[in-house]
Amino acid sequence: MPQLNPEFFISQVFWLVITFSFLFIFLWKISLPRISSVLEKRKNKIDNDIEVAKKLQTEAEEIHNNIDKQLLAANDQVTTLIKETSNNLQNEATNHLKKIDDELARKIIESANEIEKNKNDSLKNIKDQIQEIAKLILLKLTDITVTDNEMKETIKTIQNKKQV
């Protein structure tokens, strides 16, 4: 094997030094700066993306808080509107019931007046009919003819005696 032959050691070391030197210089001056610049750009991009994400998260939280506040305000407004509408409907129902009660009371009073009038008319008719019956009974039993005026005077006299 020629690699293990001592006569070739110097030439092998020479080429080893040249190859490693070239490789070292190539990596040091060309490859590593490119890799380091790519890594630096990548790190900067990641940092910027993280900052943007934090800003967006902060904005999203602010928007979420604003939405929550608006929802609470809307719920309060809805609750207020429901209460006002309920009160208005209750007031309208109360007013309507009051009108109906007033109308019923008026009709009851009118009916009572009408009943009283009919009662008085009926009593008057009954008195007139009793007078006619009494006249007819007197005429049939005694053949006495009595006039309406005589009958009325007799009834008044009897009523006056009862009141005294």
Side-chain angles (χ1 to χ4, degrees), residues 12-144:
Q12 286 179 357
V13 170
F14 172 75
W15 287 113
L16 179 70
V17 169
I18 288 185
T19 304
F20 278 116
S21 303
F22 176 74
L23 184 61
F24 177 75
I25 291 172
F26 177 75
L27 289 175
W28 179 46
K29 293 288 185 183
I30 297 173
S31 293
L32 290 177
R34 286 183 183 174
I35 291 172
S36 109
S37 71
V38 167
L39 290 175
E40 188 67 29
K41 287 179 184 177
R42 187 175 187 196
K43 183 181 181 281
N44 289 339
K45 178 151 177 59
I46 290 172
D47 289 342
N48 287 338
D49 288 346
I50 289 173
E51 286 180 30
V52 169
K54 286 181 182 177
K55 287 179 184 177
L56 290 176
Q57 183 179 8
T58 305
E59 290 176 9
E61 287 174 358
E62 289 175 6
I63 291 171
H64 186 269
N65 290 338
N66 287 337
I67 289 172
D68 285 343
K69 288 177 185 176
Q70 290 175 354
L71 283 175
L72 288 174
N75 284 339
D76 289 343
Q77 288 176 348
V78 166
T79 304
T80 304
L81 282 174
I82 288 173
K83 286 180 182 177
E84 287 176 3
T85 304
S86 175
N87 289 340
N88 289 341
L89 289 175
Q90 199 170 24
N91 289 340
E92 287 178 16
T94 303
N95 290 339
H96 190 64
L97 287 175
K98 185 178 178 186
K99 287 179 184 177
I100 289 172
D101 285 344
D102 291 344
E103 182 70 20
L104 286 175
R106 185 183 59 77
K107 286 185 179 183
I108 289 171
I109 290 171
E110 286 177 2
S111 297
N113 290 339
E114 186 71 25
I115 289 170
E116 188 67 29
K117 180 184 170 198
N118 288 340
K119 177 183 159 188
N120 291 337
D121 289 345
S122 295
L123 288 175
K124 183 180 176 187
N125 286 339
I126 289 173
K127 286 180 184 178
D128 290 343
Q129 288 177 0
I130 289 173
Q131 287 175 5
E132 286 296 319
I133 291 172
K135 283 189 335 187
L136 285 174
I137 290 173
L138 283 174
L139 182 63
K140 291 278 181 183
L141 292 176
T142 60
D143 288 334
I144 300 176

